[in-house]
Structures are given as structure tokens and as C-alpha cells.
Amino acid sequence: MTQFTRRDFLKVTTAAGALLATISLPGCRPKASAAGSALDPSVFVRINPDNTITVTIAKSEMGQGVRTSLAMLVAEELDADWSQVRVEQASFDPKYGDMGTGGSGSVRDNWKQLRESGAALRMMLVAAAAKEWGVDSKECRTENSFVVHDGKSRRAHYGSLAAAAATISIPTTIALRPKSEWKILGKDRVGIDVSDITHGRATYGLDVKVPGMLYASIERTSVFGGSVKSVDKTAALAVPGVKAVVEIPAIGNGVNVHAGVAVVATSTWAALQGRRALKVEWDGGTRAAESTDGYRSFMQAAVEKAGAEMVNKAGDPDGVLAKASTVHTATYETPFLSHATMEPMNCTASVVGDKVEVWSPTQFPGWAAEALAQALKTDIKNVQVHVTLMGGGFGRRINPDFTVEAALVSQRVNQPVKVVWTREDDLRHDFYRPCALHRVDASLGADGMPEAWRHRLSTPSIDVTYGPKPGPGWGPNEADGSGNMSYRIANRSSEYTLLESGVPRGWWRAVSTTHGVFATESMIDELATAAGKDPVEYRLALIDKYTLPQPADSKQFPFDPERLKGVLRTAAEKAGWGRTLPAGHGMGVACSFDHLGYAAEVFEVSVINDRLRIHRVVCAADSGPIVNPSGARAQIEGGIIQGLSAALKERITIAGGAVAQRNFDGYSLLRINEAPAVIEAYFVETDTEPTGLGEPSVPPVAPALANAIFKATGKRLRTLPLAITIA
Amino acid sequence: MRLTINGTEHDIEAAPEMPLLWAIRDLAGLTGTKFGCGIGQCGACTVHLDGAPVRSCSITAGAVGTKRITTIEGLAVGGQDHPVQQAWEQLNVPQCGYCQAGQLMTAAALLARKPNPTDADIDQAMVGNLCRCGTYVRIRHAVKLAAEIQAGGAK
């Protein structure tokens, strides 16, 4: 495939903000290795003479477990001894196809090609052994990295067959192992990097060290869109260890590097000290008066009238609402959110002439390579992007800004440089989950079921940060989780009004459903209550096929109402939904379809003396077959904890065109003592291709919790973070 | 100055006010100890000073003196994994893993002080260690398992 251009990138942010990787690599034909000793039947796997098997991982590892799950796909079909499997991280190269990691898509994207690679290689190894033993391939079997012929009592390990297998032609008909015969897939597996992690050996972006490397810290404009008016470098240059002070220009074009001044030194501390001694005068620019209060005023006014964009409409919601005797109205408000990865942004770069080499904790090495080529005015063939482990991603590391910055600094000082972001830098120069204001007006028929649902939304759309308005408008991607709800309501509309804002926006785990599902799943619960009906039964009666054109449904994995009902029923059953609870206790439910995964959650809480306790969270999820159950449960647990953190604690506010918060003392994350006592994950493994679990468990959290709090207290909380203290 | 890290003496050229974290990472070259916030709010930088857990971002290199520093690289002694390392691996605790060095160091210090911690003990001891990936539920189980391993009970 060709270079991954920004336009291609915008194309793949199609259906409702999901990062659906639509670029795929045509089948790779392995060549016999020139040296003859290591078999390389495909781009992704090789067998070494010492019988270790190296799987090349072309997706970024941010804790979602791809270095383990993708290796498992190969190992299963190859029939490999797992203890001999090693992984190698791929650097950017078009031969790997789409390396962009996000949208819960890594297992989904690689389901076919990695298993086929393993299966093809296994067939070639068998053929090689059969040839050597003078038997028919069909008489041989494989077991744990061995080819075995029972009749002749022969066995040979893969390592010894690697060279011979390289001479066998690659099979064109490949049969994959059925699920009933899985030995590796579908079984708990400890992460392949766990031992390195627990011994302090794992190398993250911030840990990279290259010869001759300097350290840099960048003083960036706090006010978004600001620029440098003047710099006094004298005091900074006098700090011991400081080698240079260089200006970094703002870069637009969707890359969004802020104007700044970099202090380059022989250690991180010296760079930080030098930065403190800098005297920079800033020009605030046109966004310096923006504030959360100003945004809220705009959004509140916007949702009181018809939206600027009609994302979708069925029937006549305005007409029905106008005639209804009772209109139920609710407004749901959510703030900007920061990704707050535990490892702050960073990148190490070495620019020598027109050659650019970076070691970047990036989720999108392709976009990074393209942005580097453009920013440094060199051919993309001169750009090398090495992908490191990263301490969390959650969508922040999609953006190439921190990679481009490092290259610009290196270019200016003619030495390799590691740019280290402080936590303050990271928190205040994020690509934020947009703030959002949802207003729903609804009316019920005589049977208590909704007749009209008019959903108005205002946000500072994510897409505005990156380029021109997509054809269908700003609204569809922002209305994921709201406009595309699956409840069958004859008269419904999804309306959108764009809020202009200088705050850079980006993709925060699950993206628009994080606020859209909060609104939808809270409102449907309010209507169920108004109708005097059980919230689970109400939803089950209404979930139906989704047929509206925008937000667009997936073509490859269209929404299946039975699967959503399936997880809802499972979660309710496992949670013991409907049983009598003591006073002050309550159960709340929410369900959603996000990034092609179905999830339903039940929260069991108590609110005693105004203090919230979360006793139990039950999640039922359906993303098809599960590759590594331990890892899958981890994604459910982690998504729930992150969703809770956002639901209860997190808020970024803007004042004077800048982020008001500084560090974790002002932007609180959920701590261990606030985590639920119990999180249970149940998987409904519908027989389909797997679709991924990185994001689906996040959206139901806030509404299920708010709905539970309502049951426990009688109070509806419609603003995030929820105004309640956790015990 | 001289810093004793994991039993080895390191001669460090640093201003005494350099946070110990950066002396360990940049000057001694031990990058297992992580930077997360710089203000003692996240716990990623946790090391032991004479066995007691400290946030190395919030103590200066100059203040250490002759105290023995233990980092994550020195938790396993004589080729023998610490019970917390064994438990973390058995229960597949880490996701991205960036916070886990700090988690392990805090947990190890807890178990040295309280070999049989209650749920409340664990939450209280570990509250200063943030995990953005959300491994808290597994961490709780792993500390309990590590206590069993330490007591010689579990495998």
C-alpha cells in the first residue's frame, strides 16, 4: 500500500468516529531467505534455527495486549510451542499494511492474515518433513512446534525444518483451525511482556537512549493558538547542562504542534531548570478570551432551537412534541477530558541532513511518518519511525505532534534529542475529548413507549481540529451513541450545532459515545421511570434494527439488535436484576454498541449519608470470539475503571483560552480505594469474526452508574463528573 | 555524590537539588523507575530508601546520603523473584505496565511491614499509586496472593 496520507486518514474516520481501518495489504508472498537459515514465509513470522519463533507485531502496544493476542493468532495456526514464541515490534513500513492502532481494531484487522500466515507456514513445515521422510504430508501431524509421523516414529522440531521449508511453495488453499480445536486461542495467557514489566526491563518511549542524545523540554504557549513575541535566552543558557535554546514554530495542517521554545540540555533536570529560567513573551492570539463559561452559554443556546445540521430525522418529532400533553426534557452535560496516560508524551529523534529517525511511543506510525516528511521537507523514504512500548495511549498517541516536535528540535541542534513532556505539558496540551451538551425532548404514547425523541447536540467537533468539513457534516461523527441509538421510535431526530473553540480535540477511548451514550442511556431510563416500566424490559422492547443513513452503520459489521439484547439480558441475569435491595441501595443498567462491540453493564451501588459505594459491576460483552480471555477481562475491567474515573472525577476547564488545570492535584483520576469491590465480565461469543474490546466497555459506565444512583436516592444526576462523593 | 542503588555504588555528577528520580534514570541509567507527574501524586517513581517507600521525584539526590536505594531492578534478589513479582505474573496484572514498577515497590514495602494486610490496609497503602489502565482490582488480588506466597503458602 502507498503512503498513509492525511486524506486517507480522514476517510477512515468514517462511521460515527470509529477508526475503521479500511486499508489492507494484499497477500504477502514470502521469499526463501537468502541466508537460508531463518524461514521467512511471510512478513509477520519467521522460525529461527534455535526453534524460537519471532512474530512481528505491526500494531502499537499500549496495554491492550496486542503483542500477546496477535502472536497468539499466529501461534495457534502454526501449532507453536508458546514458550518459544518471541515478538518483535515493527517499525513503520508500508509492507505491513495499516499500522494505525485504535478503534478497537487490531485483532479484527489481523484475524485473517495472521492466522493464514501461521497456517501456511505450518503446511510448508509439514511438507518439508514429509519430503525428508519420504511420506505423504497427510500422514503427518504437528504438535507444539514439532512435525510428527506416528507410523514411522519420526519427529522433527520446526527449527530443524526451517531451511527446507523455505524451498516449499507457499500453499494457495489454507484451511484454518475451527474454534472447537483451539489449543492456544480462547485460553488465558499471561502477557508476553509481563516479566519485563515486573523487572523494570520494559523500554517505553521515555526510556529510549541513543548515543549522543540530549534532553529537551519545551515551553509551549498556554493559550491555544498563541505565538512567541520575544524570548530572552540568557538565563536559560547559563544553567549548567543547557546546550541550546531553539524556537519551535506552530504547525497546523492537522498536525497541531504548538508554538514553543525548547531548552536542550545534557539531562532532563537541566532542561527543566533551563526552561524555568526562560523569559518568553507571548502573543495570546485570537482564542485568548475563550472559556468554559462562554462555551456553555453557546451550547445551551444552541440546543434550545433547531440544530444547524439535521444529522437524521424520521417521522415528525417537532409536530408530535408540539401536540403532546407531556414533554419530558433533559439536558446532559459533559466536560473536556484529558487522556492522562501515565507516561507523558515524549519522543526521541535524530535528524541528520534529510534523514529522519525517531523512536516514538506512537499509535499511528504512518501518520507520524507522513507528518515528519512534510514538516522536515524530506521524502517519506528518508523517514524511519520505530515504535516503542507506550505507557497508555487511549487515543492520545494517534496524533503526530509530539513526534514532529522532537524531530524539529533535533534538526535545529544537529544532535539526537529526547523531548520530555512534564505532566503539566501533557495535561495542558492534549487533544481533548470534546465538551458536550445534549438536550433530549421526548413524549410517550398511551402505552408508555416513546413516540417522539428529539435529540439536540452541541460540541466542538473533533474533526474540525484536522481538516475541512466532511461531506455529511460535522454532526454524524459527534452523534455516535446519540443519533444512532437503536431504540425504535417513530418520530426521532438528531440535530447538531458546532461550537467554535481553540481547544484541540482528539479521540478519547470510545470517542463520541462517551458522552452520547450517557445522554441516550440516561434519557431512556428517565422515560422508563416516567412510564412506570422496568428499565431492562423497556430497552428490550425498543431495541431494533438501525436504518438511518447518518451516523452511518458499519458495512462490514452492521448493527445487530439481537446481539445488543443478548448482552443486556446476560448482564441483567448475572447481576440478579430485579431482586429487592436494602434501603439506600440501587441497581442501574445501560447498554451500547461502540466500535462494533456490544456491551451492557449493571451497577449495584449504595448511597448512605451522601456517600457513594460501588459494590458490584457486572458487564456482559459481545465482540465475537475471544482470543485471550484474561486480556479480554482486563479490557473490560480497565474500560470500566476509566469510565468511572471520567464519570466521577475528571474535568478539564478552559479560562483565558488555556487549560485551567495543572497536574493530578487539579485533574483527579480514580484511585484504588475508589475502585469497585467487584467487577465481573461475561462474554457472549457470537459466532462471527472478532471485533475488539478496547473501547466497548467504556460508554455504559456513566449512565449505568447515574441510573443506579437514581434508584438509590431518587435524584437524577445529568452532569459529568457526577456531583457525588465516593466513599 | 555517591548513591548506592541495588547494592551498587554509583558516582553521580549532579547538583544536590536534582530530584533523585532523574539521577536514577538519566545519570545512573536505570529507567525502570518511572516519571509520571513530578509532584508526588502518581507514585510511578516509587523506590525504597532503606526499605521504606518514597516518591523519588519529591526527594533530592543530595538528601539521600548513605541510605540504600532499591529500585524495581533490584527487587528480585539473587535471581529469586520477589513474591509481588510472582503474584503479578500469575494474575496477569499489568496492562501498559508503566505504573507497575511503582505499584510493585509500594506493595513490597507494605508486605515487609504487614505480612497479612487487610483490604483496607491494601487500599490505604496503594492509594498513592495511580493506574490509568485500571488494574486496581487485579492489584488487590495480587497483593493478597503475594502475602500467601511470602508466607510460604501458595505456589
Side-chain angles (χ1 to χ4, degrees):
Chain A
M1 64 150 252
T2 53
Q3 339 178 21
F4 194 19
T5 66
R6 184 169 63 83
R7 213 172 301 122
D8 287 340
F9 174 72
L10 285 177
K11 269 205 288 252
V12 308
T13 51
T14 53
L19 296 171
L20 299 174
T22 56
I23 300 166
S24 63
L25 185 71
C28 256
R29 296 210 139 254
K31 305 188 195 51
S33 89
S37 56
L39 179 64
D40 197 0
S42 112
V43 165
F44 293 100
V45 55
R46 72 172 182 274
I47 297 187
N48 304 308
D50 66 356
N51 208 29
T52 56
I53 295 159
T54 302
V55 180
T56 300
I57 305 294
K59 292 286 187 182
S60 302
E61 177 63 75
M62 44 185 160
Q64 84 284 46
V66 288
R67 280 162 61 96
T68 307
S69 55
L70 298 186
M72 287 169 74
L73 297 183
V74 173
E76 176 66 61
E77 293 294 341
L78 182 53
D79 229 338
D81 176 352
W82 179 258
S83 71
Q84 298 288 42
V85 171
R86 309 281 177 268
V87 296
E88 200 169 75
Q89 196 68 38
S91 295
F92 171 67
D93 191 316
K95 75 181 178 187
Y96 297 116
D98 177 20
M99 297 179 71
T101 310
S104 305
S106 294
V107 167
R108 181 176 77 230
D109 291 349
N110 284 284
W111 181 243
K112 190 162 180 288
Q113 72 179 347
L114 285 186
R115 288 189 305 149
E116 285 186 346
S117 299
L121 182 48
R122 179 184 157 278
M123 291 165 76
M124 291 156 74
L125 290 158
V126 165
K131 192 165 158 188
E132 191 181 305
W133 299 334
V135 300
D136 194 313
S137 278
K138 289 199 209 53
E139 297 168 18
C140 300
R141 62 184 178 83
T142 55
E143 162 185 272
N144 234 24
S145 289
F146 279 88
V147 183
V148 180
H149 189 280
D150 292 308
K152 295 208 166 192
S153 297
R154 299 292 302 263
R155 55 197 280 128
H157 66 63
Y158 288 174
S160 68
L161 295 166
T167 66
I168 307 285
S169 2
I170 304 141
T172 46
T173 311
I174 297 169
L176 296 172
R177 186 166 283 173
K179 193 176 179 200
S180 54
E181 290 172 30
W182 284 352
K183 295 186 211 157
I184 291 176
L185 294 181
K187 301 188 184 354
D188 283 356
R189 187 64 56 182
V190 171
I192 210 160
D193 294 311
V194 165
S195 183
D196 281 347
I197 289 166
T198 60
H199 292 81
R201 290 189 297 256
T203 303
Y204 298 83
L206 207 68
D207 304 326
V208 166
K209 188 149 188 178
V210 301
M213 184 182 86
L214 295 172
Y215 301 79
S217 183
I218 303 178
E219 180 75 8
R220 300 173 190 79
T221 170
S222 292
V223 176
F224 295 118
S227 56
V228 176
K229 251 199 326 215
S230 71
V231 193
D232 182 352
K233 309 177 183 181
T234 330
L237 286 167
V239 169
V242 172
K243 294 294 177 201
V245 175
V246 297
E247 258 186 73
I248 301 299
I251 296 179
N253 201 32
V255 173
N256 296 296
V257 167
H258 300 282
V261 183
V263 177
V264 188
T266 52
S267 72
T268 310
W269 182 241
L272 290 173
Q273 294 289 76
R275 187 176 150 189
R276 276 192 202 101
L278 265 184
K279 293 183 186 39
V280 184
E281 254 193 286
W282 297 99
D283 182 329
T286 58
R287 303 290 194 178
E290 291 186 10
S291 71
T292 288
D293 287 343
Y295 295 153
R296 188 185 287 126
S297 298
F298 177 91
M299 292 189 290
Q300 280 170 340
V303 300
E304 270 167 33
K305 48 190 196 293
E309 291 175 29
M310 187 66 69
V311 176
N312 66 44
K313 186 155 87 165
D316 179 17
D318 289 324
V320 175
L321 287 169
K323 294 201 199 82
S325 51
T326 308
V327 177
H328 304 271
T329 298
T331 301
Y332 303 95
E333 194 179 329
T334 61
F336 285 109
L337 293 180
S338 173
H339 294 83
T341 59
M342 281 316 302
E343 179 199 16
M345 295 308 111
N346 64 82
C347 182
T348 303
S350 175
V351 177
V352 180
D354 61 359
K355 303 270 189 287
V356 180
E357 190 173 8
V358 302
W359 295 261
S360 180
T362 175
Q363 290 175 236
F364 267 56
W367 191 9
E370 193 219 45
L372 287 166
Q374 283 184 5
L376 280 93
K377 302 186 180 31
T378 187
D379 194 294
I380 198 165
K381 290 200 290 287
N382 294 329
V383 176
Q384 280 185 279
V385 178
H386 307 297
V387 179
T388 68
L389 289 177
M390 52 211 73
F394 315 119
R396 173 58 180 94
R397 300 198 213 253
I398 292 172
N399 296 79
D401 63 309
F402 56 90
T403 306
V404 169
E405 271 186 349
L408 291 173
V409 177
S410 173
Q411 184 184 52
R412 279 151 176 72
V413 300
N414 275 308
Q415 268 189 260
V417 174
K418 179 196 295 183
V419 174
V420 178
W421 292 42
T422 63
R423 175 58 55 188
E424 289 84 359
D425 295 335
D426 191 287
L427 206 64
R428 298 160 63 77
H429 297 88
D430 201 331
F431 289 85
Y432 302 86
R433 196 289 302 270
C435 57
L437 197 75
H438 292 257
R439 173 178 162 155
V440 185
D441 297 283
S443 63
L444 305 178
D447 60 355
M449 309 311 278
E451 278 191 330
W453 174 297
R454 182 177 61 206
H455 197 138
R456 292 184 176 145
L457 170 62
S458 181
T459 71
S461 144
I462 297 168
D463 293 335
V464 172
T465 305
Y466 302 99
K469 189 195 292 199
W474 304 117
N477 282 348
E478 295 298 301
D480 189 15
S482 57
N484 56 355
M485 66 162 183
S486 67
Y487 298 122
R488 180 186 58 256
I489 301 173
N491 306 279
R492 60 185 272 185
S493 66
S494 165
E495 305 173 21
Y496 180 79
T497 304
L498 174 70
L499 162 70
E500 296 279 349
S501 164
V503 176
R505 285 89 65 187
W507 306 275
W508 192 104
R509 192 172 187 178
V511 195
S512 301
T513 49
T514 55
H515 56 83
V517 169
F518 175 59
T520 301
E521 286 298 289
S522 294
M523 188 63 177
I524 200 73
D525 215 71
E526 297 203 41
L527 295 181
T529 304
K533 294 187 188 292
D534 174 85
V536 170
E537 294 308 317
Y538 202 67
R539 288 171 170 82
L540 287 172
L542 288 169
I543 290 169
D544 208 332
K545 285 177 146 21
Y546 174 74
T547 56
L548 296 169
Q550 293 290 346
D553 196 5
S554 162
K555 291 197 170 41
Q556 203 191 349
F557 294 96
F559 173 72
D560 181 346
E562 295 313 310
R563 292 175 76 182
L564 188 60
K565 289 188 219 173
V567 294
L568 183 54
R569 287 192 187 101
T570 303
E573 184 213 309
K574 297 293 186 188
W577 181 268
R579 68 179 202 276
T580 317
L581 296 171
H585 287 238
M587 267 199 215
V589 69
C591 62
S592 63
F593 176 59
D594 170 83
H595 289 90
L596 309 178
Y598 302 82
E601 292 170 16
V602 174
F603 275 63
E604 191 179 320
V605 310
S606 63
V607 183
I608 315 268
N609 296 328
D610 290 329
R611 294 250 148 179
L612 170 70
R613 275 207 129 86
I614 303 171
H615 299 281
R616 188 170 170 234
V617 182
V618 170
C619 176
D622 181 354
S623 65
I626 298 296
V627 169
N628 179 0
S630 177
R633 288 192 303 273
Q635 288 312 293
I636 300 296
E637 292 158 13
I640 286 170
I641 297 285
Q642 190 159 8
L644 273 173
S645 188
L648 289 166
K649 316 212 80 175
E650 297 180 41
R651 170 174 41 213
I652 289 286
T653 57
I654 306 298
V659 170
Q661 290 70 33
R662 304 208 151 264
N663 201 314
F664 290 140
D665 50 356
Y667 188 80
S668 300
L669 300 184
L670 204 77
R671 294 186 178 270
I672 191 170
N673 62 329
E674 297 161 327
V678 174
I679 300 179
E680 297 166 30
Y682 300 95
F683 297 107
V684 177
E685 293 186 58
T686 299
D687 184 15
T688 174
E689 300 203 337
T691 49
L693 281 174
E695 292 160 295
S697 66
V698 177
V701 174
L705 175 61
N707 294 338
I709 291 169
F710 171 72
K711 268 294 174 347
T713 66
K715 284 206 209 87
R716 281 282 172 199
L717 298 176
R718 302 188 178 101
T719 299
L720 297 183
L722 300 174
I724 192 161
T725 310
I726 187 155
Chain B
M1 67 182 77
R2 179 159 289 178
L3 295 176
T4 306
I5 310 175
N6 302 328
T8 302
E9 294 190 338
H10 294 257
D11 280 306
I12 303 284
E13 287 278 329
E17 68 268 14
M18 178 187 286
L20 177 61
L21 171 64
W22 298 118
I24 290 172
R25 286 182 55 83
D26 292 349
L27 305 184
L30 295 166
T31 56
T33 307
K34 302 306 186 196
F35 168 67
C37 72
I39 61 167
Q41 284 276 321
C42 78
C45 67
T46 307
V47 299
H48 296 168
L49 281 191
D50 286 343
V54 299
R55 312 299 184 210
S56 62
C57 73
S58 302
I59 181 170
T60 62
V64 173
T66 56
K67 292 208 179 78
R68 306 177 67 78
I69 302 165
T70 313
T71 69
I72 184 68
E73 291 94 335
L75 191 58
V77 177
Q80 175 78 1
D81 281 357
H82 190 284
V84 295
Q85 288 168 315
Q86 295 175 53
W88 252 242
E89 204 156 325
Q90 272 185 50
L91 298 185
N92 201 20
V93 173
Q95 290 187 28
C96 86
Y98 191 79
C99 76
Q100 298 295 343
Q103 305 278 3
L104 286 156
M105 297 308 284
T106 301
L110 167 66
L111 289 179
R113 193 166 45 88
K114 286 191 177 181
N116 199 17
T118 62
D119 289 347
D121 290 332
I122 295 170
D123 274 3
Q124 190 173 66
M126 310 289 297
V127 73
N129 288 86
L130 288 175
C131 173
R132 186 43 156 175
C133 294
T135 66
Y136 295 135
V137 176
R138 287 196 192 192
I139 286 175
R140 286 182 182 137
H141 292 311
V143 174
K144 287 269 170 79
L145 177 59
E148 280 179 47
I149 293 171
Q150 183 173 261
K155 60 176 185 311

